[in-house]
mmCIF file of all heavy atoms in Angstrom:
data_model
loop_
_atom_site.group_PDB
_atom_site.id
_atom_site.type_symbol
_atom_site.label_atom_id
_atom_site.label_comp_id
_atom_site.label_asym_id
_atom_site.label_seq_id
_atom_site.Cartn_x
_atom_site.Cartn_y
_atom_site.Cartn_z
ATOM 1 N N VAL A 1 0.819 -1.222 -0.041
ATOM 2 C CA VAL A 1 -0.037 0.050 -0.001
ATOM 3 C C VAL A 1 0.847 1.215 -0.022
ATOM 4 O O VAL A 1 0.319 2.389 -0.063
ATOM 5 C CB VAL A 1 -0.935 0.121 1.181
ATOM 6 C CG1 VAL A 1 -1.874 -1.209 1.248
ATOM 7 C CG2 VAL A 1 -0.245 0.202 2.493
ATOM 8 N N LYS A 2 2.136 1.139 0.074
ATOM 9 C CA LYS A 2 2.900 2.313 0.004
ATOM 10 C C LYS A 2 2.869 3.274 -1.157
ATOM 11 O O LYS A 2 2.607 2.652 -2.298
ATOM 12 C CB LYS A 2 4.479 1.825 0.171
ATOM 13 C CG LYS A 2 4.910 1.476 1.493
ATOM 14 C CD LYS A 2 6.447 1.108 1.480
ATOM 15 C CE LYS A 2 6.895 0.709 2.876
ATOM 16 N NZ LYS A 2 8.295 0.167 2.891
ATOM 17 N N GLY A 3 2.686 4.450 -0.908
ATOM 18 C CA GLY A 3 2.519 5.448 -2.043
ATOM 19 C C GLY A 3 0.893 5.517 -2.429
ATOM 20 O O GLY A 3 0.700 6.548 -3.182
ATOM 21 N N ARG A 4 0.060 4.788 -1.898
ATOM 22 C CA ARG A 4 -1.385 4.820 -2.133
ATOM 23 C C ARG A 4 -2.095 5.174 -0.881
ATOM 24 O O ARG A 4 -3.181 5.836 -0.910
ATOM 25 C CB ARG A 4 -1.838 3.587 -2.720
ATOM 26 C CG ARG A 4 -1.194 3.028 -4.023
ATOM 27 C CD ARG A 4 -1.860 1.861 -4.654
ATOM 28 N NE ARG A 4 -1.779 0.771 -3.838
ATOM 29 C CZ ARG A 4 -2.797 0.057 -3.374
ATOM 30 N NH1 ARG A 4 -4.047 0.525 -3.607
ATOM 31 N NH2 ARG A 4 -2.630 -1.101 -2.603
ATOM 32 N N PHE A 5 -1.675 4.706 0.301
ATOM 33 C CA PHE A 5 -2.477 4.895 1.585
ATOM 34 C C PHE A 5 -1.708 5.891 2.358
ATOM 35 O O PHE A 5 -0.459 5.871 2.397
ATOM 36 C CB PHE A 5 -2.580 3.607 2.304
ATOM 37 C CG PHE A 5 -3.529 2.528 1.648
ATOM 38 C CD1 PHE A 5 -4.027 2.744 0.454
ATOM 39 C CD2 PHE A 5 -3.902 1.453 2.397
ATOM 40 C CE1 PHE A 5 -4.886 1.883 -0.225
ATOM 41 C CE2 PHE A 5 -4.807 0.557 1.888
ATOM 42 C CZ PHE A 5 -5.309 0.698 0.566
ATOM 43 N N THR A 6 -2.468 6.651 3.189
ATOM 44 C CA THR A 6 -1.847 7.540 4.168
ATOM 45 C C THR A 6 -2.598 7.392 5.528
ATOM 46 O O THR A 6 -3.831 7.575 5.480
ATOM 47 C CB THR A 6 -1.917 9.047 3.610
ATOM 48 O OG1 THR A 6 -1.312 9.103 2.447
ATOM 49 C CG2 THR A 6 -1.219 9.945 4.711
ATOM 50 N N ILE A 7 -1.781 7.206 6.569
ATOM 51 C CA ILE A 7 -2.443 7.186 7.835
ATOM 52 C C ILE A 7 -2.171 8.507 8.577
ATOM 53 O O ILE A 7 -1.164 9.047 8.396
ATOM 54 C CB ILE A 7 -1.815 5.917 8.734
ATOM 55 C CG1 ILE A 7 -2.612 5.772 9.994
ATOM 56 C CG2 ILE A 7 -0.392 6.151 8.943
ATOM 57 C CD1 ILE A 7 -2.254 4.502 10.686
ATOM 58 N N SER A 8 -3.126 8.936 9.324
ATOM 59 C CA SER A 8 -3.004 10.072 10.075
ATOM 60 C C SER A 8 -3.896 9.997 11.351
ATOM 61 O O SER A 8 -4.625 9.042 11.484
ATOM 62 C CB SER A 8 -3.455 11.372 9.321
ATOM 63 O OG SER A 8 -4.832 11.226 8.815
ATOM 64 N N ARG A 9 -3.753 11.039 12.283
ATOM 65 C CA ARG A 9 -4.470 10.967 13.518
ATOM 66 C C ARG A 9 -4.709 12.541 13.990
ATOM 67 O O ARG A 9 -4.178 13.393 13.480
ATOM 68 C CB ARG A 9 -3.706 10.241 14.599
ATOM 69 C CG ARG A 9 -2.337 10.980 14.966
ATOM 70 C CD ARG A 9 -1.429 10.235 15.891
ATOM 71 N NE ARG A 9 -0.207 10.918 16.201
ATOM 72 C CZ ARG A 9 0.782 10.464 16.954
ATOM 73 N NH1 ARG A 9 0.724 9.170 17.247
ATOM 74 N NH2 ARG A 9 1.825 11.148 17.187
ATOM 75 N N ASN A 10 -5.621 12.578 14.890
ATOM 76 C CA ASN A 10 -5.872 13.962 15.459
ATOM 77 C C ASN A 10 -4.782 14.227 16.569
ATOM 78 O O ASN A 10 -4.115 13.361 17.024
ATOM 79 C CB ASN A 10 -7.305 14.029 15.968
ATOM 80 C CG ASN A 10 -7.556 13.157 17.165
ATOM 81 O OD1 ASN A 10 -6.786 12.212 17.420
ATOM 82 N ND2 ASN A 10 -8.724 13.344 17.814
ATOM 83 N N ASN A 11 -4.756 15.537 16.987
ATOM 84 C CA ASN A 11 -3.833 15.836 17.985
ATOM 85 C C ASN A 11 -3.833 15.194 19.333
ATOM 86 O O ASN A 11 -2.925 14.929 20.069
ATOM 87 C CB ASN A 11 -3.827 17.371 18.106
ATOM 88 C CG ASN A 11 -3.356 18.198 16.957
ATOM 89 O OD1 ASN A 11 -2.542 17.718 16.174
ATOM 90 N ND2 ASN A 11 -3.741 19.378 16.907
ATOM 91 N N ALA A 12 -5.113 14.858 19.577
ATOM 92 C CA ALA A 12 -5.381 14.161 20.964
ATOM 93 C C ALA A 12 -5.117 12.783 20.872
ATOM 94 O O ALA A 12 -5.205 11.996 21.967
ATOM 95 C CB ALA A 12 -6.826 14.340 21.376
ATOM 96 N N LYS A 13 -4.744 12.169 19.784
ATOM 97 C CA LYS A 13 -4.482 10.813 19.585
ATOM 98 C C LYS A 13 -5.563 9.820 19.912
ATOM 99 O O LYS A 13 -5.475 8.850 20.518
ATOM 100 C CB LYS A 13 -3.256 10.340 20.292
ATOM 101 C CG LYS A 13 -1.991 11.119 19.852
ATOM 102 C CD LYS A 13 -0.780 10.746 20.641
ATOM 103 C CE LYS A 13 0.468 11.526 20.268
ATOM 104 N NZ LYS A 13 1.721 11.227 21.122
ATOM 105 N N THR A 14 -6.852 10.432 19.594
ATOM 106 C CA THR A 14 -8.061 9.683 19.878
ATOM 107 C C THR A 14 -8.758 9.102 18.634
ATOM 108 O O THR A 14 -9.678 8.295 18.715
ATOM 109 C CB THR A 14 -8.980 10.373 20.739
ATOM 110 O OG1 THR A 14 -9.330 11.636 20.091
ATOM 111 C CG2 THR A 14 -8.489 10.543 22.153
ATOM 112 N N SER A 15 -8.264 9.690 17.431
ATOM 113 C CA SER A 15 -8.941 9.265 16.160
ATOM 114 C C SER A 15 -7.774 9.007 15.209
ATOM 115 O O SER A 15 -6.699 9.625 15.178
ATOM 116 C CB SER A 15 -9.743 10.339 15.524
ATOM 117 O OG SER A 15 -10.922 10.529 16.342
ATOM 118 N N VAL A 16 -7.997 7.937 14.457
ATOM 119 C CA VAL A 16 -7.026 7.662 13.419
ATOM 120 C C VAL A 16 -7.794 7.494 11.993
ATOM 121 O O VAL A 16 -8.830 6.978 12.048
ATOM 122 C CB VAL A 16 -6.181 6.260 13.741
ATOM 123 C CG1 VAL A 16 -7.097 5.117 13.860
ATOM 124 C CG2 VAL A 16 -5.073 6.061 12.726
ATOM 125 N N TYR A 17 -7.093 7.798 10.960
ATOM 126 C CA TYR A 17 -7.713 7.792 9.648
ATOM 127 C C TYR A 17 -6.763 7.117 8.721
ATOM 128 O O TYR A 17 -5.590 6.920 8.839
ATOM 129 C CB TYR A 17 -7.904 9.232 9.181
ATOM 130 C CG TYR A 17 -8.616 10.179 10.174
ATOM 131 C CD1 TYR A 17 -7.848 10.937 11.017
ATOM 132 C CD2 TYR A 17 -9.953 10.231 10.350
ATOM 133 C CE1 TYR A 17 -8.435 11.738 11.990
ATOM 134 C CE2 TYR A 17 -10.558 10.923 11.274
ATOM 135 C CZ TYR A 17 -9.819 11.695 12.058
ATOM 136 O OH TYR A 17 -10.333 12.543 12.995
ATOM 137 N N LEU A 18 -7.419 6.574 7.604
ATOM 138 C CA LEU A 18 -6.761 5.791 6.574
ATOM 139 C C LEU A 18 -7.305 6.472 5.255
ATOM 140 O O LEU A 18 -8.340 6.012 4.950
ATOM 141 C CB LEU A 18 -6.802 4.422 6.649
ATOM 142 C CG LEU A 18 -5.827 3.610 5.698
ATOM 143 C CD1 LEU A 18 -4.393 3.817 5.943
ATOM 144 C CD2 LEU A 18 -6.213 2.124 5.654
ATOM 145 N N GLN A 19 -6.532 7.267 4.600
ATOM 146 C CA GLN A 19 -6.875 7.677 3.242
ATOM 147 C C GLN A 19 -6.298 6.695 2.260
ATOM 148 O O GLN A 19 -5.134 6.475 2.210
ATOM 149 C CB GLN A 19 -6.181 9.103 2.966
ATOM 150 C CG GLN A 19 -6.617 9.630 1.518
ATOM 151 C CD GLN A 19 -8.008 9.963 1.409
ATOM 152 O OE1 GLN A 19 -8.648 10.519 2.222
ATOM 153 N NE2 GLN A 19 -8.543 9.500 0.262
ATOM 154 N N MET A 20 -7.186 6.155 1.425
ATOM 155 C CA MET A 20 -6.849 5.058 0.472
ATOM 156 C C MET A 20 -7.163 5.547 -0.908
ATOM 157 O O MET A 20 -8.305 5.805 -1.198
ATOM 158 C CB MET A 20 -7.595 3.845 0.811
ATOM 159 C CG MET A 20 -7.551 3.313 2.216
ATOM 160 S SD MET A 20 -8.330 1.677 2.424
ATOM 161 C CE MET A 20 -10.072 2.252 2.365
ATOM 162 N N ASN A 21 -6.076 5.742 -1.685
ATOM 163 C CA ASN A 21 -6.107 6.143 -3.039
ATOM 164 C C ASN A 21 -5.757 5.141 -4.055
ATOM 165 O O ASN A 21 -5.010 4.138 -3.619
ATOM 166 C CB ASN A 21 -5.330 7.373 -3.234
ATOM 167 C CG ASN A 21 -5.709 8.558 -2.332
ATOM 168 O OD1 ASN A 21 -6.978 8.865 -2.087
ATOM 169 N ND2 ASN A 21 -4.749 9.466 -2.058
ATOM 170 N N ASN A 22 -6.304 5.261 -5.248
ATOM 171 C CA ASN A 22 -5.964 4.306 -6.310
ATOM 172 C C ASN A 22 -6.128 2.851 -5.818
ATOM 173 O O ASN A 22 -5.253 2.062 -6.032
ATOM 174 C CB ASN A 22 -4.415 4.500 -6.737
ATOM 175 C CG ASN A 22 -4.119 3.725 -7.957
ATOM 176 O OD1 ASN A 22 -4.972 3.469 -8.834
ATOM 177 N ND2 ASN A 22 -2.772 3.345 -8.123
ATOM 178 N N LEU A 23 -7.284 2.565 -5.336
ATOM 179 C CA LEU A 23 -7.637 1.342 -4.845
ATOM 180 C C LEU A 23 -7.615 0.335 -5.883
ATOM 181 O O LEU A 23 -8.081 0.487 -7.035
ATOM 182 C CB LEU A 23 -9.015 1.448 -4.190
ATOM 183 C CG LEU A 23 -9.026 2.138 -2.718
ATOM 184 C CD1 LEU A 23 -10.370 2.474 -2.290
ATOM 185 C CD2 LEU A 23 -8.394 1.064 -1.800
ATOM 186 N N LYS A 24 -7.253 -0.924 -5.423
ATOM 187 C CA LYS A 24 -7.147 -2.111 -6.333
ATOM 188 C C LYS A 24 -8.028 -3.124 -5.786
ATOM 189 O O LYS A 24 -8.271 -3.245 -4.619
ATOM 190 C CB LYS A 24 -5.718 -2.599 -6.408
ATOM 191 C CG LYS A 24 -4.668 -1.601 -6.843
ATOM 192 C CD LYS A 24 -3.252 -2.072 -6.871
ATOM 193 C CE LYS A 24 -2.302 -1.052 -7.265
ATOM 194 N NZ LYS A 24 -0.880 -1.595 -7.376
ATOM 195 N N PRO A 25 -8.439 -4.075 -6.745
ATOM 196 C CA PRO A 25 -9.344 -5.205 -6.292
ATOM 197 C C PRO A 25 -8.648 -5.948 -5.043
ATOM 198 O O PRO A 25 -9.405 -6.417 -4.216
ATOM 199 C CB PRO A 25 -9.417 -6.089 -7.483
ATOM 200 C CG PRO A 25 -9.341 -5.144 -8.573
ATOM 201 C CD PRO A 25 -8.323 -4.082 -8.194
ATOM 202 N N GLU A 26 -7.411 -6.120 -5.148
ATOM 203 C CA GLU A 26 -6.779 -6.886 -4.000
ATOM 204 C C GLU A 26 -6.831 -6.099 -2.579
ATOM 205 O O GLU A 26 -6.309 -6.692 -1.618
ATOM 206 C CB GLU A 26 -5.341 -7.222 -4.395
ATOM 207 C CG GLU A 26 -4.455 -6.003 -4.885
ATOM 208 C CD GLU A 26 -4.437 -5.928 -6.360
ATOM 209 O OE1 GLU A 26 -5.438 -6.101 -6.994
ATOM 210 O OE2 GLU A 26 -3.250 -5.506 -6.861
ATOM 211 N N ASP A 27 -7.178 -4.924 -2.614
ATOM 212 C CA ASP A 27 -7.418 -4.178 -1.348
ATOM 213 C C ASP A 27 -8.722 -4.494 -0.692
ATOM 214 O O ASP A 27 -8.917 -4.123 0.422
ATOM 215 C CB ASP A 27 -7.490 -2.669 -1.591
ATOM 216 C CG ASP A 27 -6.070 -2.146 -2.132
ATOM 217 O OD1 ASP A 27 -4.971 -2.617 -1.623
ATOM 218 O OD2 ASP A 27 -6.066 -1.273 -2.907
ATOM 219 N N THR A 28 -9.576 -5.315 -1.329
ATOM 220 C CA THR A 28 -10.717 -5.797 -0.778
ATOM 221 C C THR A 28 -10.494 -6.518 0.502
ATOM 222 O O THR A 28 -9.755 -7.507 0.547
ATOM 223 C CB THR A 28 -11.562 -6.573 -1.768
ATOM 224 O OG1 THR A 28 -12.005 -5.794 -2.833
ATOM 225 C CG2 THR A 28 -12.790 -7.194 -1.072
ATOM 226 N N ALA A 29 -11.161 -6.154 1.709
ATOM 227 C CA ALA A 29 -10.901 -6.678 2.896
ATOM 228 C C ALA A 29 -11.700 -6.025 3.939
ATOM 229 O O ALA A 29 -12.407 -5.061 3.660
ATOM 230 C CB ALA A 29 -9.392 -6.520 3.262
ATOM 231 N N VAL A 30 -11.767 -6.682 5.078
ATOM 232 C CA VAL A 30 -12.293 -5.992 6.281
ATOM 233 C C VAL A 30 -11.056 -5.234 6.965
ATOM 234 O O VAL A 30 -10.107 -5.825 7.241
ATOM 235 C CB VAL A 30 -12.949 -6.962 7.278
ATOM 236 C CG1 VAL A 30 -13.365 -6.312 8.546
ATOM 237 C CG2 VAL A 30 -14.100 -7.747 6.628
ATOM 238 N N TYR A 31 -11.339 -4.036 7.245
ATOM 239 C CA TYR A 31 -10.226 -3.136 7.756
ATOM 240 C C TYR A 31 -10.594 -2.930 9.301
ATOM 241 O O TYR A 31 -11.656 -2.564 9.670
ATOM 242 C CB TYR A 31 -10.140 -1.812 7.016
ATOM 243 C CG TYR A 31 -9.470 -1.941 5.680
ATOM 244 C CD1 TYR A 31 -10.128 -2.525 4.630
ATOM 245 C CD2 TYR A 31 -8.169 -1.590 5.554
ATOM 246 C CE1 TYR A 31 -9.526 -2.679 3.382
ATOM 247 C CE2 TYR A 31 -7.441 -1.693 4.263
ATOM 248 C CZ TYR A 31 -8.196 -2.374 3.276
ATOM 249 O OH TYR A 31 -7.515 -2.428 1.985
ATOM 250 N N TYR A 32 -9.608 -3.108 10.115
ATOM 251 C CA TYR A 32 -9.744 -2.974 11.563
ATOM 252 C C TYR A 32 -8.787 -1.895 12.091
ATOM 253 O O TYR A 32 -7.470 -1.906 11.681
ATOM 254 C CB TYR A 32 -9.404 -4.257 12.302
ATOM 255 C CG TYR A 32 -10.212 -5.533 11.868
ATOM 256 C CD1 TYR A 32 -9.967 -6.292 10.808
ATOM 257 C CD2 TYR A 32 -11.374 -5.781 12.694
ATOM 258 C CE1 TYR A 32 -10.773 -7.324 10.503
ATOM 259 C CE2 TYR A 32 -12.193 -6.835 12.380
ATOM 260 C CZ TYR A 32 -11.928 -7.601 11.263
ATOM 261 O OH TYR A 32 -12.664 -8.701 10.935
ATOM 262 N N CYS A 33 -9.212 -1.061 12.894
ATOM 263 C CA CYS A 33 -8.294 -0.166 13.594
ATOM 264 C C CYS A 33 -7.789 -0.759 14.873
ATOM 265 O O CYS A 33 -8.567 -1.499 15.572
ATOM 266 C CB CYS A 33 -8.872 1.271 13.796
ATOM 267 S SG CYS A 33 -10.147 1.442 14.982
ATOM 268 N N LYS A 34 -6.553 -0.433 15.247
ATOM 269 C CA LYS A 34 -5.984 -0.952 16.436
ATOM 270 C C LYS A 34 -5.386 0.193 17.279
ATOM 271 O O LYS A 34 -4.692 0.980 16.793
ATOM 272 C CB LYS A 34 -4.886 -2.039 15.976
ATOM 273 C CG LYS A 34 -4.188 -2.602 17.122
ATOM 274 C CD LYS A 34 -3.007 -3.488 16.591
ATOM 275 C CE LYS A 34 -2.050 -3.958 17.723
ATOM 276 N NZ LYS A 34 -0.945 -4.769 17.098
ATOM 277 N N LEU A 35 -5.614 -0.010 18.578
ATOM 278 C CA LEU A 35 -4.990 1.007 19.554
ATOM 279 C C LEU A 35 -4.327 0.205 20.543
ATOM 280 O O LEU A 35 -4.689 -0.674 21.121
ATOM 281 C CB LEU A 35 -6.124 1.809 20.226
ATOM 282 C CG LEU A 35 -5.720 2.752 21.362
ATOM 283 C CD1 LEU A 35 -4.902 3.868 20.889
ATOM 284 C CD2 LEU A 35 -6.954 3.145 22.247
ATOM 285 N N PHE A 36 -3.062 0.634 20.698
ATOM 286 C CA PHE A 36 -2.142 0.087 21.761
ATOM 287 C C PHE A 36 -1.817 1.208 22.778
ATOM 288 O O PHE A 36 -1.159 2.159 22.379
ATOM 289 C CB PHE A 36 -0.850 -0.616 21.214
ATOM 290 C CG PHE A 36 -0.032 -1.162 22.214
ATOM 291 C CD1 PHE A 36 -0.259 -2.406 22.752
ATOM 292 C CD2 PHE A 36 1.205 -0.495 22.676
ATOM 293 C CE1 PHE A 36 0.643 -2.998 23.720
ATOM 294 C CE2 PHE A 36 2.045 -0.994 23.617
ATOM 295 C CZ PHE A 36 1.762 -2.269 24.103
ATOM 296 N N GLU A 37 -2.175 1.014 24.001
ATOM 297 C CA GLU A 37 -1.824 1.974 25.090
ATOM 298 C C GLU A 37 -1.797 1.214 26.399
ATOM 299 O O GLU A 37 -2.614 0.290 26.588
ATOM 300 C CB GLU A 37 -2.801 3.167 25.080
ATOM 301 C CG GLU A 37 -4.246 2.788 25.545
ATOM 302 C CD GLU A 37 -5.085 4.059 25.872
ATOM 303 O OE1 GLU A 37 -4.584 5.162 25.521
ATOM 304 O OE2 GLU A 37 -6.210 3.926 26.342
ATOM 305 N N HIS A 38 -1.029 1.748 27.254
ATOM 306 C CA HIS A 38 -0.933 1.237 28.628
ATOM 307 C C HIS A 38 -0.639 -0.318 28.571
ATOM 308 O O HIS A 38 -1.232 -1.040 29.478
ATOM 309 C CB HIS A 38 -2.105 1.651 29.399
ATOM 310 C CG HIS A 38 -2.153 2.980 29.674
ATOM 311 N ND1 HIS A 38 -3.432 3.677 29.813
ATOM 312 C CD2 HIS A 38 -1.336 4.087 29.777
ATOM 313 C CE1 HIS A 38 -3.236 5.000 29.944
ATOM 314 N NE2 HIS A 38 -1.999 5.200 29.911
ATOM 315 N N GLY A 39 -0.001 -0.828 27.647
ATOM 316 C CA GLY A 39 0.238 -2.207 27.477
ATOM 317 C C GLY A 39 -0.784 -3.036 27.085
ATOM 318 O O GLY A 39 -0.781 -4.313 27.091
#
């Protein structure tokens, strides 16, 4: 996905975004966000 996707977040680090450009059929999937904090 390099060059096509961009991950970003808000300043409070409570929201995360994934901008997906030039999508391909092989990108078809269930997408999950993951948060790691306090172990």
Side-chain angles (χ1 to χ4, degrees):
V1 305
K2 285 182 179 177
R4 300 188 297 119
F5 291 10
T6 302
I7 188 170
S8 61
R9 65 186 181 190
N10 65 348
N11 290 336
K13 300 179 182 179
T14 53
S15 293
V16 62
Y17 311 94
L18 187 67
Q19 179 66 46
M20 305 184 293
N21 297 327
N22 191 24
L23 284 160
K24 303 176 180 180
E26 52 263 41
D27 295 320
T28 294
V30 177
Y31 285 74
Y32 300 87
C33 72
K34 174 186 174 184
L35 169 68
F36 179 80
E37 67 167 11
H38 297 147

